[in-house]
Amino acid sequence: MNEQLESESLSILAGMNERDNSFELEQYFRQMLSELQIELPTKMEAANILLNHFMTRMIAEPTCAFELMTKIQNHVYYAIKWPETRSENTKKYVGQELGLEHLYTWYRELQDFKDGSRLFYYNELPRDEQKMKFEEHLVEEAQNWLNAGKTYT
């Protein structure tokens, strides 16, 4: 309504709340989408929209790389019931299917760094420099993901 969209179902939805029948809420929501000719993205399209957002932020805010990658894991990787959304013919893992496999290398190193586990890379460096290197690589991989400009399916 703030965007000046007009629809009978939207007006009805605006007057409803969480105590209303969930089936009615869903019915009016679907009607509103139809009336306004809005098509929701598929789960994969939605995942790519979120990934694009998080990758862009990671590049703009490199010091938040670990936290943003945690959001990717929680809000994209874990949040979607992937076996239901993937074709049965795919032999790819979810991270591969989304193009995240290179980011996960550095994210896992940062996770290990955080909990004091054994690290596999840059062991000749002091721990604080190791962390910086892992974050740099994570941001580089975010840039590579964006540069690839692919929509992963």
Side-chain angles (χ1 to χ4, degrees), residues 47-81:
N48 279 297
I49 291 166
L50 273 174
L51 286 171
N52 194 306
H53 168 75
F54 288 132
M55 300 293 182
T56 302
R57 279 197 54 208
M58 197 180 298
I59 292 161
E61 305 170 42
T63 58
C64 298
F66 180 78
E67 290 79 15
L68 290 165
M69 193 62 196
T70 300
K71 287 183 180 191
I72 288 171
Q73 178 158 313
N74 293 333
H75 299 296
V76 178
Y77 193 85
Y78 288 155
I80 297 174
K81 295 177 182 170

Side-chain angles (χ1 to χ4, degrees), residues 4-37:
Q4 307 304 313
L5 297 174
E6 291 187 30
S7 153
E8 184 178 328
S9 297
L10 180 58
S11 297
I12 294 168
L13 272 172
M16 297 178 85
N17 63 49
E18 70 275 356
R19 289 185 298 268
D20 287 313
N21 183 309
S22 62
F23 295 109
E24 280 187 60
L25 283 164
E26 184 177 351
Q27 176 188 354
Y28 284 117
F29 179 74
R30 292 193 184 285
Q31 281 181 256
M32 181 261 319
L33 290 175
S34 176
E35 290 167 6
L36 295 173
Q37 299 177 349

